[in-house]
Amino acid sequence: MKHARTDGIDPAARSRSRRRALQAVYAWQLSSTPVEKVLEQFSSEQDMEIADLAYFEDLVRGVIKDQKELDQRLDCAIVWMCPMASLSMKR
């Protein structure tokens, strides 16, 4: 049995926001488009109306702000999981 949240957070909207934030960061990395433009493009899409827009923007901005640290941590995790991967990683 699911319990209703009392904090006003919609888990489904948060899930959509996380999915769209991942797509927005990917689009930003591939296109080198300024983050404000990417946020604007994604925010105007129809399914963002049923997502948590503030949460989406916080996620995207946070990932971009901490990109270098996240990349370093992911590099370490990849090497730990697959030591041979370090041979093909760019440095």
Side-chain angles (χ1 to χ4, degrees):
M1 176 179 189
K2 278 190 167 181
H3 298 289
R5 292 188 63 132
T6 59
D7 56 8
I9 293 174
D10 179 353
R14 286 284 179 109
S15 178
R16 283 187 288 278
S17 297
R18 286 189 295 273
R19 185 172 44 253
R20 300 301 285 156
L22 177 64
Q23 293 168 345
V25 169
Y26 183 72
W28 170 78
Q29 285 184 315
L30 286 181
S31 69
S32 299
T33 302
V35 67
E36 294 304 322
K37 184 72 172 167
V38 172
L39 288 171
E40 180 184 312
Q41 290 169 344
F42 274 78
S43 297
S44 66
E45 292 181 4
Q46 187 175 16
D47 69 337
M48 287 305 293
E49 294 174 10
I50 54 175
D52 184 332
L53 188 57
Y55 184 60
F56 161 78
E57 289 184 4
D58 286 345
L59 289 171
V60 173
R61 291 180 197 282
V63 167
I64 291 171
K65 179 178 77 69
D66 296 329
Q67 178 191 10
K68 286 184 175 70
E69 181 183 348
L70 290 167
D71 284 346
Q72 289 172 348
R73 289 178 181 231
L74 287 170
D75 286 350
C76 290
I78 290 168
V79 170
W80 180 80
M81 291 184 335
C82 182
M84 295 299 291
S86 65
L87 298 175
S88 64
M89 294 178 89
K90 297 178 194 174
R91 292 287 169 190

